[in-house]
């Protein structure tokens, strides 16, 4: 099976060519055109600029992903149709519909969160069921993955997503967008115990909350004096390290609780924040302590990529779940 995957859900235009032989996926290409440079000067994603850039990039990115492969030789094309920024999603969906119609190949619709939840399969073979923590810029949820296309959400954030909190705190520290990866590096140089930021454990639930932590960082910085001035490097390092310690403590503790409550001894993490080195380290230690299997995709498969969409699409295509020309983009789309 040869599948083309397309993801334009946020600010990266991505296309991937994936082959599946005897059930094992092999990523042939995974092209990602980042828009960071465009959005950096605004301190965050400007949706209108994002969709315009997708329009410019979708054809060259798909062409690069296909390489010398002829579109007619594809088994199907899988496109992410939500959740995400509506203008961005529409570019991918409209392109995929026209492409499939013109080349007479089947179209498959994939939920972006399904892509993140199945990304571990690109490099490993987790057995079912497994728990999956999806931590991205728009979502923070724990799912029970019973089988392909059989998912249960156990809990989710009640306010900010973890990645959103990372990006907002990064901005407060004067770091350029996207702040998450820069916070990760800075946190590595600071003292995680220097400031005791609050941890919202929300006991007896699988839910999360990160807005109080964000406010605590704001209050801490205001307490330091002139909030209009950027903080010094030393302060920024310790704030980043202490913030990261609070976020990762909560994420790890929740997963630990989910393992205890469900008795499931396989855990995967996915989404942009799963690329965080501090989170991986703490999750690995926890998995070792409980002797459970842990699946953490390589950073390129944690952050948005079309290979994960191609894989999820291949599974749906195998089950004959194809989409028609009435497929529409959906900004809000639960898994
Ligand atoms: O999954 P993703 O690429 O896009 C969404 O679906 O949202 O996740 C993007 C989020 C951003 O908030 C970004 O700052 C965060 O993931 N992120 C990180 C790291 N790499 C990306 N956060 C913390 N540490 C990282 N290394
Ligand atoms: Zn994502």
């Amino acid at each position: 099976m040869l599948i083309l995957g397309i993801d334009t859900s946020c600010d990266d235009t991505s296309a991937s060519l994936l082959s599946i032989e005897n059930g094992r996926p092999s990523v042939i290409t995974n092209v990602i055109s980042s828009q960071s440079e465009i959005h950096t000067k605004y301190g965050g994603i400007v949706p209108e600029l994002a969709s315009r850039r997708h329009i410019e990039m979708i054809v060259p990115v798909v062409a690069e992903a296909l390489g010398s492969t002829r579109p007619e030789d594809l088994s199907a094309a899988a496109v992410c149709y939500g959740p995400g920024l509506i203008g961005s999603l529409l570019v991918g969906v409209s392109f995929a519909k026209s492409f499939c119609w013109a080349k007479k190949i089947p179209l498959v619709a994939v939920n972006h969160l399904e892509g993140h939840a199945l990304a571990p399969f690109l490099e490993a073979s987790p057995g079912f069921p497994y728990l999956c923590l999806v931590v991205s810029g728009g979502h923070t949820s724990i799912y029970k993955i019973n089988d392909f296309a059989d998912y249960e959400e156990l809990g989710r954030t009640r306010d900010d997503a973890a990645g959103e909190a990372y990006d907002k705190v990064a901005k407060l520290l004067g770091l350029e967008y996207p702040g998450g990866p820069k916070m990760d590096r800075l946190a590595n140089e600071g003292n995680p115990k220097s400031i005791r930021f609050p941890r919202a454990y929300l006991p007896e639930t699988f839910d999360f909350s990160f807005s109080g932590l964000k406010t605590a960082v704001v209050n801490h910085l205001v307490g330091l004096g002139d909030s209009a001035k950027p903080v010094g490097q030393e302060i920024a390092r310790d704030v980043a390290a202490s913030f990261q310690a609070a976020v990762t403590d909560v994420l790890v503790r929740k997963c630990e609780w989910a393992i205890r409550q469900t008795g499931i001894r396989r855990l995967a993490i996915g989404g942009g924040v799963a690329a965080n080195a501090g989170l991986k380290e703490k999750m690995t230690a926890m998995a070792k302590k409980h002797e459970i299997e842990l699946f953490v995709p390589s950073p390129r498969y944690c952050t948005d990529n079309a290979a994960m969409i191609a894989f999820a699409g291949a599974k749906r295509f195998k089950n004959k779940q194809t989409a028609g020309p009435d497929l529409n983009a959906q900004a809000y789309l639960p898994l």
Side-chain angles (χ1 to χ4, degrees):
M1 199 190 289
L2 197 56
I3 303 274
L4 173 72
I6 296 172
D7 187 285
T8 61
S9 57
C10 196
D11 61 338
D12 288 321
T13 317
S14 182
S16 167
L17 190 62
L18 181 106
S19 76
I20 303 217
E21 261 174 61
N22 302 323
R24 284 304 312 150
S26 161
V27 179
I28 301 167
T29 57
N30 184 35
V31 182
I32 299 171
S33 165
S34 165
Q35 301 185 358
S36 297
E37 221 172 279
I38 294 173
H39 303 290
T40 291
K41 54 177 174 287
Y42 302 100
I45 299 169
V46 182
E48 180 61 22
L49 296 183
S51 43
R52 286 177 194 213
R53 186 66 178 156
H54 282 306
I55 292 172
E56 287 167 0
M57 295 312 296
I58 189 75
V59 171
V61 164
V62 168
E64 191 181 336
L66 284 174
S68 56
T69 301
R70 295 181 326 148
E72 293 78 5
D73 293 336
L74 293 169
S75 314
V79 67
C80 163
Y81 72 113
L85 299 172
I86 193 69
S88 294
L89 288 164
L90 276 167
V91 177
V93 169
S94 310
F95 173 87
K97 286 201 290 189
S98 322
F99 178 81
C100 288
W101 179 78
K103 303 295 175 190
K104 298 185 176 50
I105 52 174
L107 172 68
V108 184
V110 174
N111 183 314
H112 185 77
L113 299 168
E114 181 176 32
H116 279 309
L118 299 184
F121 281 94
L122 294 171
E123 298 166 300
S125 308
F128 293 113
Y130 64 90
L131 295 166
C132 187
L133 171 74
V134 175
V135 257
S136 68
H139 296 84
T140 299
S141 296
I142 298 190
Y143 298 98
K144 192 167 157 243
I145 311 294
N146 296 317
D147 201 341
F148 294 120
D150 182 0
Y151 317 120
E152 257 173 81
E153 190 181 59
L154 301 180
R156 60 162 65 192
T157 182
R158 295 183 184 176
D159 40 58
D160 289 1
E164 192 182 350
Y166 259 101
D167 294 339
K168 284 177 180 165
V169 168
K171 203 167 173 184
L172 290 170
L173 295 179
L175 303 174
E176 278 190 345
Y177 175 85
K182 294 181 185 85
M183 287 280 288
D184 192 0
R185 284 194 289 276
L186 201 59
N188 194 32
E189 299 164 11
N191 175 5
K193 294 199 172 122
S194 56
I195 310 147
R196 181 75 195 165
F197 286 130
R199 278 109 169 117
Y201 286 116
L202 308 181
E204 306 296 311
T205 76
F206 294 106
D207 287 353
F208 301 89
S209 167
F210 294 105
S211 66
L213 170 60
K214 191 184 60 192
T215 307
V217 175
V218 173
N219 290 342
H220 178 81
L221 295 175
V222 169
L224 290 178
D226 189 351
S227 57
K229 272 203 229 146
V231 291
Q233 265 300 79
E234 209 168 310
I235 293 173
R237 277 190 211 120
D238 285 346
V239 170
S242 304
F243 166 83
Q244 179 154 301
V247 173
T248 53
D249 275 354
V250 171
L251 295 175
V252 171
R253 176 88 71 92
K254 280 284 165 186
C255 289
E256 208 169 5
W257 197 67
I259 291 161
R260 272 206 209 102
Q261 289 297 306
T262 62
I264 296 174
R265 307 194 52 76
R266 295 181 200 99
L267 171 69
I269 58 177
V273 182
N276 185 275
L279 177 62
K280 184 175 174 181
E281 195 183 311
K282 233 179 243 185
M283 218 43 112
T284 304
M286 186 272 281
K288 205 169 161 198
K289 183 173 126 198
H290 294 285
E291 295 180 342
I292 62 148
E293 273 185 282
L294 177 68
F295 301 91
V296 187
S298 304
R300 67 183 181 283
Y301 297 135
C302 286
T303 49
D304 287 352
N305 67 89
M308 66 183 193
I309 302 299
F311 179 77
K315 290 290 161 191
R316 293 210 170 257
F317 179 60
K318 199 166 168 245
N319 286 334
K320 303 189 173 31
Q321 292 174 314
T322 53
D326 57 342
L327 176 69
N328 208 350
Q330 291 183 36
Y332 175 76
L333 183 67
L335 181 60

